[in-house]
Amino acid sequence: MTYLQCSARHCGTTLDAHDRALACPRCGDLLEVAVKPPALEPSDLKVLWRERRESWEPQDASGVWRFREVLPTYESEIVTLGEGNVPLVRARKSAQWAGVRNLHFKHLGWNPTGSFKDLGMTAGMTEARFLGTKTVACASTGNTAAALAAYAARGGMAARVYLPAGQASANKLAQALDYGAEVVQIAGSFDDALNELLAAADRDLYFLNSINPFRIEGQKTAMFELMEQFGWRAPDFLMVPGGNLGNSSAFGKAFMEMKRFGLIEQVPRMVIVQAEGANPLARLWRSQGVELQAVPEPETVATAIRIGNPRSWKKALEAIEFTGGLVMDVTDEELGEAKEAIGRDGIGCEPASATTLAGIRKLLQARELDREASIAAVLTGHVLKDTDYIIKRQGRNKMREPLTVATL
Ligand SMILES: *Cc1c(COP(=O)(O)O)cnc(C)c1O
């Protein structure tokens, strides 16, 4: 049986598998799904997971649910849009820009609504429907709202999203509206929006922010898939953008489980990259402190990671410790240049994702990374997620004045 447990190792509290709590009732830390070792041998599991890619059954065709031996199980129907199964793309121009030789992007922006949030949402929404939920809700910088709205529509539930007014990109807001969500604008930051929602949470509302342990389960499968694509041999480094730190936590959990279940021997060193204006974890890492100090007014062009008080920081730090990784930050200018390089590879991404490539160049310059190292960088959002940013930054230099017919 799967069940929920407190993520604080010393606490030891366990809860029923489908408890609706958002935090440990004893110590207040975040919850996580306890996964038991699969019954199959690692080699048989690997074959089974791959074979499912030849099936059209929804639970096999989903790049999340084909790994269901390490996920909570459901008799009820899953809520899926065929997420996951995104390619690992070699990136030569980007590698050259950063000065390294062996770089692959795992583009989680190539998911149904254009970000990795879909991977978590298929799992979270399946749980919500299993519970008989009528309305799901989240606070979001935009991508969670888009994914929540789409998967709620898919699962026949109403969606309500809390967005910081004027801060989410128009593209993400448009998605949420198009999928039929009710949008509540909050005067303030993402952190304010999240607090507002937590205060409003009642029994009729199911809360699907990244502190929801079921979302973490869905997101962790990205790393099972990554390792599969690397032939189950870890690259040297894994670069991940860090905002609320749910994704870093999910990836850390994935590596702990893969190691524990005998699926892999080595783990990649995980590097969390934050934007300099929203860098509480990087500050904590540099200061070697023990308590996170929130950044009161986070500021960065990478709105998906404009978060001053990340909820999942403890789990993220555990992931860094487990993988022998590190935490760093990059400036808006650095990530802007990196984003252009990723575009030149014909790949593209949203600003937050480009922190990964900017981070690689910085690590190389600091001699923390060898140019021959094998590196996987996670691109979290699609290039069309923030078109205003691109047109503002690049339009001026690269667009020619309109020609009149006479001069053509
Ligand atoms: C949500 C998001 C992030 C940040 O992920 P966290 O889990 O909050 O750290 C980064 N990039 C994009 C594009 C996102 O949508």
Side-chain angles (χ1 to χ4, degrees):
M1 249 319 267
T2 43
Y3 57 91
L4 293 173
Q5 66 188 14
C6 180
S7 61
R9 301 289 164 238
H10 54 81
C11 178
T13 300
T14 62
L15 299 172
D16 178 77
H18 299 291
D19 200 289
R20 300 168 59 113
L22 294 171
C24 172
R26 190 184 304 166
C27 77
D29 253 317
L30 298 181
L31 297 171
E32 64 182 18
V33 174
V35 179
K36 66 172 184 342
L40 291 174
E41 288 296 312
S43 55
D44 295 335
L45 268 180
K46 291 175 185 174
V47 171
L48 177 67
W49 289 340
R50 247 198 100 85
E51 280 177 354
R52 285 184 181 147
R53 292 209 63 172
E54 291 177 12
S55 159
W56 300 109
E57 290 298 321
Q59 70 272 24
D60 296 338
S62 162
V64 170
W65 295 102
R66 75 185 171 93
F67 296 104
R68 56 188 173 271
E69 282 71 19
V70 293
L71 296 175
T73 48
Y74 294 92
E75 306 278 303
S76 56
E77 211 180 307
I78 55 169
V79 182
T80 176
L81 285 163
E83 54 290 318
N85 293 329
V86 301
L88 189 66
V89 259
R90 181 117 201 195
R92 294 208 167 76
K93 294 247 174 66
S94 302
Q96 214 169 31
W97 177 87
V100 296
R101 293 253 252 243
N102 190 356
L103 171 65
H104 287 84
F105 287 125
K106 177 75 173 161
H107 207 326
L108 301 182
W110 293 350
N111 263 298
T113 77
S115 84
F116 73 79
K117 303 299 197 297
D118 294 338
L119 304 176
M121 218 42 92
T122 183
M125 205 63 73
T126 295
E127 173 69 14
R129 193 156 77 174
F130 173 83
L131 294 171
T133 305
K134 298 257 181 326
T135 306
V136 289
C138 71
S140 172
T141 59
N143 282 336
T144 300
L148 178 100
Y151 281 81
R154 192 78 188 161
M157 286 163 269
R160 187 185 305 162
V161 303
Y162 292 76
L163 294 176
Q167 288 183 27
S169 88
N171 313 61
K172 299 173 187 178
L173 176 61
Q175 279 184 293
L177 293 170
D178 197 56
Y179 302 132
E182 178 192 350
V183 176
V184 183
Q185 304 220 60
I186 304 285
S189 65
F190 166 84
D191 303 286
D192 297 330
L194 187 54
N195 288 335
E196 186 90 3
L197 177 55
L198 287 169
D202 56 50
R203 293 293 298 179
D204 299 332
L205 216 55
Y206 187 67
F207 184 77
L208 274 170
N209 261 87
S210 66
I211 59 171
N212 180 303
F214 296 92
R215 274 192 53 199
I216 298 296
E217 290 305 292
Q219 285 171 208
K220 88 183 176 189
T221 61
M223 290 302 106
F224 284 76
E225 189 174 287
L226 179 91
M227 293 305 295
E228 180 185 58
Q229 287 165 318
F230 271 101
W232 301 99
R233 279 182 301 275
D236 299 320
F237 287 89
L238 174 74
M239 313 293 294
V240 188
N244 213 18
L245 303 171
N247 217 24
S248 317
S249 306
F251 293 177
K253 188 169 192 279
F255 289 119
M256 290 173 207
E257 289 177 3
M258 283 189 274
K259 191 99 195 276
R260 184 152 54 90
F261 301 158
L263 290 157
I264 56 173
E265 282 171 17
Q266 297 287 329
V267 297
R269 297 181 61 192
M270 192 162 112
V271 179
I272 297 177
V273 193
Q274 296 199 298
E276 202 179 72
N279 64 351
L281 194 70
R283 287 187 195 198
L284 178 67
W285 178 257
R286 282 195 288 263
S287 70
Q288 300 182 324
V290 287
E291 274 300 316
L292 187 93
Q293 303 293 318
V295 171
E297 284 178 9
E299 189 53 66
T300 167
V301 293
T303 52
I305 52 174
R306 187 175 173 178
I307 293 171
N309 191 15
R311 301 286 161 142
S312 298
W313 67 272
K314 284 185 195 164
K315 287 189 187 180
L317 266 192
E318 256 180 47
I320 292 297
E321 275 157 24
F322 180 75
T323 65
L326 60 111
V327 188
M328 64 184 298
D329 54 11
V330 297
T331 65
D332 280 0
E333 180 52 31
E334 287 166 335
L335 72 87
E337 287 171 28
K339 182 171 146 48
E340 287 181 44
I342 297 167
R344 290 306 96 73
D345 262 316
I347 295 171
C349 63
E350 73 165 275
S353 312
T355 54
T356 54
L357 184 65
I360 293 169
R361 185 166 78 168
K362 231 170 160 168
L363 284 185
L364 183 78
Q365 285 165 353
R367 296 176 193 276
E368 300 240 20
L369 173 154
D370 187 276
R371 64 195 296 263
E372 305 294 335
S374 70
I375 308 166
V378 176
L379 300 182
T380 44
H382 194 278
V383 65
L384 291 176
K385 279 291 193 176
D386 192 347
T387 46
D388 272 358
Y389 172 84
I390 301 173
I391 292 168
K392 263 190 216 135
R393 185 181 162 95
Q394 305 198 47
R396 211 176 320 121
N397 307 333
K398 294 184 193 143
M399 267 158 61
R400 290 170 52 181
E401 291 300 310
L403 299 177
T404 59
V405 178
T407 59
L408 272 177

